[in-house]
């Protein structure tokens, strides 16, 4: 009987979108992968870092996806690893922040497949930052709550979320009206500064800022889609003071970076 190479799975966070926010370990693993299993929040330029002969397997799912689909992804990871392949499972942001990465890790544990978790920059922090919103700030917010509008267990605990200093709500895209209405009903002031960040760090990033009572209708007027995060809290008020120079970019530095990258190849 021929011995097969031992397969392995890397659950890798790809960051919020911009390929420049990938970790070095993620980029290095992509460069040697036999198979890359990825979903819809992965930037096309990030996929170009994969080994040219790597199999690229798209398992995109919208919103929370249903459990059957997740089971298929789990089965695919196990099957690819059992073929002796080095599999990179690329997930948006951080694999363990609302990414169902732990469900995949549990499936690999059960199947006896060795794996590693490679953290990524979560959009929960990076998308607000890209919109000039810090999630904490001395004097304004000493804590931040990350939550999701979709929950397998039913509706979120709005009363709890309404009491957060800074609230970052994931998967808010399609349900902004419901979420903001529920927060106000649960006691959050309708005047609380709020913003929706769509596709943070992507080329087509957009931000809508308005008081909590208005932010959903403003986002609807602007046809804000997915992926998007809702940020609620006094920290959003810093945006007007931070947006003029932040992320302004420098063509000269970008050219120098491009040259430096070329030099390493
Ligand atoms: N593991 C990911 C989150 C996966 S859940 C992470 O750590 O970022 C998918 C949700 O993440 C989306 O519905 C959206 O709310 C949010 N999201 C992901 N990328 C985003 C981006 N670039 N800008 C804004 N929100 C984003």
């Amino acid at each position: 009987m021929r011995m097969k190479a031992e397969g392995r799975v890397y659950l890798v966070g790809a960051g919020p979108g911009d390929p420049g926010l990938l970790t070095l370990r993620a980029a290095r693993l992509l460069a040697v992968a036999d198979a890359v299993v990825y979903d819809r929040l992965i930037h096309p330029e990030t996929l170009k870092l994969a080994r040219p002969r790597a199999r690229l397997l798209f398992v995109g799912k919208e919103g929370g996806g249903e459990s059957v689909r997740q089971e298929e992804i789990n089965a695919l990871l196990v099957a690819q690893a059992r073929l002796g392949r080095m599999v990179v499972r690329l997930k948006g942001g951080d694999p363990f922040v609302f990414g169902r990465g732990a469900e995949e890790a549990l499936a690999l544990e059960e199947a006896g497949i060795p794996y590693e978790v490679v953290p990524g920059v979560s959009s929960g922090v990076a998308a607000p930052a890209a919109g000039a919103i810090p999630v904490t700030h001395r004097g304004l917010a000493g804590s931040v709550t990350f939550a999701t509008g979709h929950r397998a267990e039913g509706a979120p605990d709005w009363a709890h979320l309404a009491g957060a200093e800074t609230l970052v709500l994931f998967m808010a895209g399609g349900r902004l009206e419901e979420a903001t209405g529920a927060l106000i009903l649960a006691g959050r002031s309708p005047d609380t500064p709020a913003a929706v960040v769509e596709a943070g760090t992507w080329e087509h990033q957009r931000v809508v800022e308005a008081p909590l009572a208005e932010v959903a209708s403003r986002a609807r007027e602007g046809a804000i889609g997915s992926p998007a995060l809702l940020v609620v809290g006094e920290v959003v008020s810093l945006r007007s003071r931070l947006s003029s120079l932040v992320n302004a970019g420098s063509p000269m530095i970008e050219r120098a970076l491009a040259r430096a990258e070329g030099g390493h190849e």
Side-chain angles (χ1 to χ4, degrees), residues 86-133:
M86 187 291 207
V87 183
V88 168
R89 168 64 173 124
L90 254 193
K91 303 174 77 71
D94 181 275
F96 278 3
V97 178
F98 302 127
R100 308 187 71 170
E103 292 174 41
E104 294 172 11
L106 286 168
L108 295 167
E109 288 277 353
E110 208 167 289
I113 309 281
Y115 66 97
E116 180 184 315
V117 180
V118 181
V121 177
S122 178
S123 66
V125 176
I133 302 166

Side-chain angles (χ1 to χ4, degrees), residues 16 41 92-94 97-99 122-123 127 170-171 197 199-200 202 227-229:
L41 294 177
D94 181 275
V97 178
F98 302 127
S122 178
S123 66
F170 286 70
M171 292 173 256
V197 182
W202 289 73
L229 287 170

Side-chain angles (χ1 to χ4, degrees), residues 131 133 193-196 207-211 215 218 236-240 243:
I133 302 166
V196 177
V207 185
V208 168
E209 181 189 339
V215 76
R218 291 275 306 282
V236 178
S237 67
L238 284 169
R239 190 167 175 260
S240 58
S243 6

